Amino acid sequence: MLFRSRAVTGVEIKDLKGLADEGKKQVGSGVVALVATSEDGKGSIVVGVTPDLVTRFSAVDLVRKASEVLGGKGGGGKPDMAQAGGPDGSKADAALKAIEAALAN
């Protein structure tokens, strides 16, 4: 299983899901996570899980772990694609590491 993650800037929040979908196509089987930091310092995260892995990993559970790191609460979506955010975009890398740790369990 592949885990592909990236922290990005200058990307509109509405475009994150499309980028995650593209990432899922590229990995074939895996999890894709993207964190965008806005100009005001807030972080938005999208997690995509390929269809073959949704029984093992829920994008909603993973995005919530990352949201906590960003200082947010909750997040939502579907098992294959979820989105959340938080006020502290400076912790984007730590949020991605939280997802990676969750995948290792």
Side-chain angles (χ1 to χ4, degrees):
M1 178 199 70
L2 285 170
F3 175 57
R4 183 171 291 172
S5 63
R6 184 178 302 164
V8 296
T9 56
V11 175
E12 293 288 325
I13 293 165
K14 63 180 174 47
D15 296 332
L16 284 179
K17 284 186 179 180
L19 291 172
D21 274 335
E22 284 300 311
K24 286 186 348 182
K25 288 177 189 168
Q26 290 176 8
V27 300
S29 175
V31 175
V32 175
L34 298 166
V35 179
T37 305
S38 62
E39 289 180 18
D40 61 0
K42 294 178 181 174
S44 296
I45 185 157
V46 169
V47 176
V49 178
T50 55
D52 61 316
L53 296 175
V54 292
T55 56
R56 286 180 53 202
F57 304 107
S58 167
V60 175
D61 293 341
L62 295 172
V63 85
R64 286 181 177 162
K65 290 188 185 307
S67 176
E68 287 175 19
V69 175
L70 297 174
K73 293 182 178 154
K78 298 179 180 175
D80 67 329
M81 184 73 68
Q83 187 169 351
D88 193 353
S90 69
K91 294 186 176 168
D93 289 332
L96 295 173
K97 286 188 184 349
I99 295 171
E100 192 170 10
L103 293 173
N105 290 336

